[in-house]
Amino acid sequence: MHVPSKCRVCREPAIIDLPRHNANFCAEHFLELCRRQVTKAIEQWKLLDHDDRILVAVSGGKDSLAVWDLLIELGYRADGLYVGLGIGDYSDVSADHARAFARSRDLHLIEISLRGEYGYDIPTAAKATRRVPCSACGLSKRHLFDKAAIDGGYTALVTGHNLDDEAAVLLGNTLRWEIDYLARQLPLLPARDGFPKKVKPLVRLTERETAAWCVVRGIDYLVDECPMAVGNKHLHHKATLNAIEAESPGSKASFYLNFVERMAPLLAGRLADDREALGTCAECGAPTSGEVCAFCRLVTIASAHE
Ligand code: Q46
Ligand code: ZN
Ligand code: ZN
């Protein structure tokens, strides 16, 4: 990393340069900038209230620990939820990071083990379904996060998606003109039909910034990427956007933030159309358009496969 000179605010030595803000910052003023960006996101899109009971989906990586830390710092009440995916050492180490963080801040971390509670893990589910691991993994996590939020009486489910994640997904969806996915790609999805409100407070921060937040705050996060992320197109789209950003700082933020401001409202009708009436799963009671939800079908296939 290029070593920047002086903090824009206080003129003390800087620890980070942020070309998109055309400035350098010392540790203290960098943290202030992060808090300001998260507060701005929360206010701009009415993401959270101080009465919300928040459940943060925690993976042990930088983004989920940063968002949990930031929300607590900003005075919100937030518990964490860790889902053990059974992806070998990666899962063991990620659980350690999530637990250590919760312990260090005296926060409540709920833990669910796929293997212990549902009889399968992600590598097994991938084999049983003959699809990429991320597909069974995403389905399992979405279901368990939603269920834990609803069962626990939480009013908001928070994830640590950052600007790089959202811009990469936006690029992928735009390249294929996936209108229905685009319509749903918002920092806030209100609660509906048995689903909790879903919120992404970090979408104004890049992954370099969430990593720096953790370093400055002394949060020990899992640096390794998931070993099952192979062939994940998001990584490719992130690299493409980073190349554009290097040429033209601020492009990533304007791509995503202007989408939310200018394009998403034009797609709002699609979001409403998408809301077909949902019934409840005959096995677990979760909202679903079929008789048995996709998660219960996955559990049946994956837990029978060894
Ligand atoms: S944990 Fe799961 Fe990710 Fe690993 S298998 Fe894919 S979705 S990459 S966030
Ligand atoms: Zn400063
Ligand atoms: Zn079900």
Side-chain angles (χ1 to χ4, degrees):
M1 194 189 295
H2 142 92
V3 179
S5 49
K6 288 187 175 152
C7 171
R8 172 162 87 185
V9 184
C10 67
R11 313 310 297 166
E12 292 294 313
I15 57 139
I16 189 166
D17 63 317
L18 298 179
R20 97 185 143 102
H21 295 288
N22 197 17
N24 309 319
F25 295 91
C26 71
E28 182 192 334
H29 290 115
F30 169 68
L31 296 181
E32 193 176 293
L33 175 122
C34 293
R35 284 186 210 104
R36 222 176 30 242
Q37 291 292 334
V38 171
T39 303
K40 185 167 175 185
I42 292 174
E43 287 174 358
Q44 178 178 20
W45 299 305
K46 301 190 173 47
L47 303 183
L48 294 166
D49 274 320
H50 278 279
D51 329 325
D52 268 317
R53 276 198 64 215
I54 298 167
L55 185 64
V56 181
V58 176
S59 69
K62 61 188 186 324
D63 303 309
S64 58
L65 296 181
V67 75
W68 199 3
D69 190 38
L70 270 152
L71 290 178
I72 296 293
E73 268 234 313
L74 294 172
Y76 292 91
R77 291 180 299 163
D79 293 342
L81 170 64
Y82 175 83
V83 175
L85 303 167
I87 306 178
D89 291 350
Y90 172 78
S91 288
D92 297 339
V93 180
S94 64
D96 291 343
H97 286 280
R99 288 179 197 132
F101 175 78
R103 224 178 300 119
S104 73
R105 303 282 198 279
D106 207 13
L107 296 170
H108 179 51
L109 180 70
I110 303 168
E111 292 193 43
I112 298 175
S113 152
L114 273 186
R115 171 61 71 194
E117 286 162 59
Y118 295 93
Y120 73 96
D121 52 36
I122 294 306
T124 318
K127 274 186 234 137
T129 55
R130 301 210 192 110
R131 298 188 57 188
V132 289
C134 295
S135 129
C137 187
L139 168 62
S140 305
K141 287 192 289 193
R142 269 194 308 279
H143 178 89
L144 294 171
F145 291 151
D146 287 354
K147 178 174 160 46
I150 297 289
D151 291 355
Y154 292 94
T155 56
L157 176 63
V158 160
T159 53
H161 293 95
N162 59 43
L163 178 60
D164 295 72
D165 298 324
E166 293 304 296
V169 172
L170 178 59
L171 179 59
N173 286 336
T174 302
L175 289 173
R176 294 186 304 279
W177 292 113
E178 295 277 13
I179 301 291
D180 292 324
Y181 288 148
L182 287 169
R184 293 180 55 76
Q185 214 200 323
L186 298 168
L188 166 75
L189 286 174
R192 60 141 186 150
D193 299 338
F195 290 110
K197 169 168 88 171
K198 295 182 189 174
V199 172
K200 299 172 182 172
L202 294 190
V203 294
R204 301 187 65 96
L205 293 178
T206 64
E207 60 185 27
R208 185 163 163 262
E209 290 156 9
T210 62
W213 171 274
C214 288
V215 171
V216 174
R217 296 274 296 162
I219 299 170
D220 190 15
Y221 62 90
L222 177 64
V223 177
D224 297 345
E225 292 285 340
C226 170
M228 308 211 91
V230 276
N232 191 323
K233 290 222 176 58
H234 294 173
L235 299 177
H236 180 63
H237 292 145
K238 275 186 183 174
T240 304
L241 286 167
N242 284 341
I244 298 173
E245 181 76 17
E247 286 297 315
S248 169
S251 300
K252 214 185 281 175
S254 69
F255 179 52
Y256 174 73
L257 297 173
N258 288 337
F259 163 79
V260 174
E261 190 184 316
R262 298 176 190 169
M263 191 66 206
L266 303 181
L267 299 173
R270 292 296 283 226
L271 192 59
D273 291 350
D274 188 34
R275 297 188 171 180
E276 48 176 321
L278 293 176
T280 47
C281 170
E283 289 184 22
C284 73
T288 176
S289 53
E291 196 183 321
V292 173
C293 76
F295 177 74
C296 288
R297 281 182 273 135
L298 174 67
V299 173
T300 307
I301 305 167
S303 59
H305 187 98
E306 277 313 327

